[in-house]
């Protein structure tokens, strides 16, 4: 393994018993994941599953008119590819790299074989799937019933939880797409949070000055998602971000790079 990277930087892999991890580890390939990379398309059959370590992935639901919204994020607490062992064969959502970093990929059929063979792997992945579905359901409710400001708080908190360096490279356009709102709405919401002294927002930079205050301004959805992951996956030690987080917005590559069939 690379001295700077290890599969157990992904909490699902770290939660596996030693015997099961030893079975999987020879088949795990470290890969760079760049902002804008398309890992899977809606309706496509995945060739790989991904276990992010420092990258963050975004699952999108797309409409016929081309618009889309994020239905869940996946970071070092989880994996991409749950449809594989749920019997659906194809994936219902589009998966794009939201934040550059690294992760480990594995041939889909190898994980499926291990899922069918090992009770530990099966139970862990099914619990993660339940947590992910709860995340999706809560996100749908949040996007329908809560203000843009509350949605932005939820998104900032969940994103910060998944980061080691507390630095994110993305764009306001991407955030507005993920939340399904206009870019102007994101700008206005960020300005309100700055006026409250919770963040500092200037030239594409957001510094979280008061995490507890940010949590108090968020809706209950952030807490519901966190508690469900903690309940179902206590051994993964889902990270709580530090009180001071710096999020930096940078434009992703102009062209997306599909690597789902590498």
């Amino acid at each position: 393994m690379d001295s700077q990277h290890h599969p157990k930087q992904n909490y699902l892999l770290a939660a596996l018993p030693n015997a099961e991890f030893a079975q999987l580890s020879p088949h795990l390939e470290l890969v760079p994941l760049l902002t804008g990379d398309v890992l899977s398309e809606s309706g496509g059959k995945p060739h790989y599953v991904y276990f992010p370590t420092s990258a963050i992935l975004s699952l999108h639901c797309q409409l016929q008119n081309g618009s889309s919204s994020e239905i869940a994020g996946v970071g070092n607490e989880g994996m991409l590819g749950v449809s594989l062992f749920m019997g659906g064969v194809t994936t219902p959502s589009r998966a794009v790299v939201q934040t550059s970093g690294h992760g480990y990929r594995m041939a889909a059929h190898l994980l499926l074989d291990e899922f069918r063979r090992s009770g530990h792997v099966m139970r862990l992945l099914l619990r993660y799937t339940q947590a992910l579905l709860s995340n999706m359901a809560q996100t749908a409710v949040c996007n329908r019933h809560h203000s843009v400001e509350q949605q932005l708080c939820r998104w900032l908190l969940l994103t910060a939880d998944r980061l080691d360096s507390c630095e994110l490279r993305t764009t306001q356009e991407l955030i507005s797409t993920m939340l399904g709102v206009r870019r102007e709405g994101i700008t206005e919401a960020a300005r309100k949070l700055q006026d409250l002294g919770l963040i500092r927002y200037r030239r594409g930079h957001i510094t979280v000055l008061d995490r507890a205050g940010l949590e108090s301004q968020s809706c209950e959805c952030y807490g519901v998602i966190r508690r469900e992951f903690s309940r179902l996956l206590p051994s993964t030690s889902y990270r709580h971000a530090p009180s001071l987080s710096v999020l930096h917005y940078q434009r992703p590559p102009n062209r997306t790079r599909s690597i789902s069939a590498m």
Side-chain angles (χ1 to χ4, degrees):
M1 299 294 178
D2 190 299
S3 60
Q4 294 182 348
H5 303 278
H6 196 281
K8 289 192 175 182
Q9 291 170 331
N10 176 278
Y11 295 166
L12 276 183
L13 294 176
L16 288 172
N18 290 336
E20 282 71 17
F21 179 77
Q23 285 288 114
L24 294 182
S25 58
H27 308 293
L28 294 169
E29 176 190 2
L30 178 67
V31 291
L33 300 171
L34 305 180
T35 300
D37 282 351
V38 179
L39 304 185
S40 66
E41 291 283 6
S42 177
K45 183 178 180 180
H47 299 288
Y48 296 99
V49 295
Y50 292 85
F51 296 89
T53 53
S54 56
I56 300 178
L57 316 181
S58 181
L59 306 183
H60 286 252
C61 181
Q62 289 188 297
L63 302 179
Q64 290 182 347
N65 63 6
S67 61
S68 68
S69 292
E70 183 184 61
I71 56 175
V74 178
N76 52 10
E77 83 289 351
M79 64 162 292
L80 173 66
V82 297
S83 62
L84 175 71
F85 48 82
M86 296 299 290
V89 182
T90 60
T91 178
S93 58
R94 188 175 197 247
V96 182
V97 177
Q98 169 192 315
T99 302
S100 293
H102 287 81
Y104 287 83
R105 73 177 185 180
M106 180 180 183
H109 70 91
L110 294 176
L111 182 64
L112 185 58
D113 289 343
E114 190 63 25
F115 177 86
R116 291 167 173 166
R117 177 169 49 244
S118 170
H120 290 292
V121 173
M122 179 184 69
R123 287 191 292 272
L124 180 65
L125 294 182
L126 287 179
R127 288 200 304 272
Y128 170 71
T129 300
Q130 183 176 342
L132 182 64
L133 291 174
S134 297
N135 186 348
M136 291 179 177
Q138 201 68 38
T139 298
V141 171
C142 186
N143 290 347
R144 174 65 179 83
H145 292 284
H146 294 143
S147 68
V148 174
E149 180 183 334
Q150 290 174 314
Q151 294 177 52
L152 179 59
C153 289
R154 167 182 57 82
W155 187 86
L156 288 173
L157 290 165
L158 288 173
T159 300
D161 285 348
R162 295 181 172 112
L163 294 173
D164 290 328
S165 65
C166 294
E167 183 175 340
L168 175 65
R169 292 177 174 83
T170 186
T171 64
Q172 292 185 46
E173 290 89 347
L174 184 57
I175 296 176
S176 66
T177 296
M178 288 189 289
L179 297 183
V181 300
R182 298 179 62 185
R183 178 182 173 181
E184 292 80 4
I186 299 299
T187 301
E188 181 180 355
R191 185 180 299 115
K192 288 181 180 179
L193 296 178
Q194 179 170 258
D195 291 342
L196 291 171
L198 305 181
I199 65 172
R200 182 182 300 120
Y201 179 63
R202 183 176 62 85
R203 294 183 180 179
H205 289 75
I206 294 181
T207 304
V208 178
L209 302 174
D210 182 357
R211 183 185 173 93
L214 195 64
E215 290 184 18
S216 70
Q217 290 297 312
S218 179
C219 51
E220 71 268 26
C221 297
Y222 169 69
V224 170
I225 293 170
R226 282 291 310 280
R227 286 192 297 272
E228 191 68 358
F229 269 92
S230 297
R231 181 182 73 85
L232 293 167
L233 301 163
S235 59
T236 63
S237 302
Y238 191 60
R239 177 182 292 113
H240 191 290
S243 59
L244 182 62
S245 306
V246 179
L247 308 180
H248 173 63
Y249 294 88
Q250 177 176 312
R251 184 173 298 279
N254 291 330
R255 297 174 60 186
T256 57
R257 180 169 67 97
S258 177
I259 64 175
S260 60
M262 291 176 66

